[in-house]
Amino acid sequence: MEKELFDYVSERVDILAVADTSTQITKDAATAWKDAVSADSSDAAVDEATTKLLDVLEGRPTTIDGVIAFLQGPAIELFGEDAAAQGLAEQEKRKAEGAKWCNCEACAAASEILAKFGRVEL
């Protein structure tokens, strides 16, 4: 893997490993990637670790429609009507502008990694 691509993935993996919005499965996959590439930085090891990471991340980022549905339902009780309505307005605007994915820290990092490898479109 080219250094520029490696650095790009590494930066986003660091986010995934600690983001409050990452699931435990995502955090574990990010940590496993970091461990694998630091233990053996050969191209084959990096490629294998990256493939495993991509397989875990596929389907993880929440779609914009999923975020909107959340804000129309469970978010109202969790965050209150005003906060949910504000978030809903923001996400509906993002959708109108062509956004396809949630823009929380974890979803953004995951979708950016997946897009780099042609597994999703941003």
Side-chain angles (χ1 to χ4, degrees), residues 67-68 70-92:
V67 173
I68 289 170
F70 172 74
L71 290 165
Q72 291 171 328
I76 295 169
E77 192 170 312
L78 288 170
F79 307 123
E81 258 183 68
D82 291 341
Q86 183 179 352
L88 180 60
E90 176 189 328
Q91 297 304 323
E92 286 176 335

Side-chain angles (χ1 to χ4, degrees), residues 20-61:
D20 290 339
T21 51
S22 283
T23 64
Q24 191 59 51
I25 292 169
T26 301
K27 288 179 181 184
D28 292 346
T31 301
W33 184 88
K34 289 170 61 170
D35 291 346
V37 300
S38 64
D40 181 358
S41 60
S42 69
D43 286 344
V46 171
D47 289 346
E48 181 180 341
T50 302
T51 298
K52 287 179 182 179
L53 174 68
L54 293 171
D55 290 346
V56 170
L57 293 181
E58 232 166 9
R60 293 263 165 225

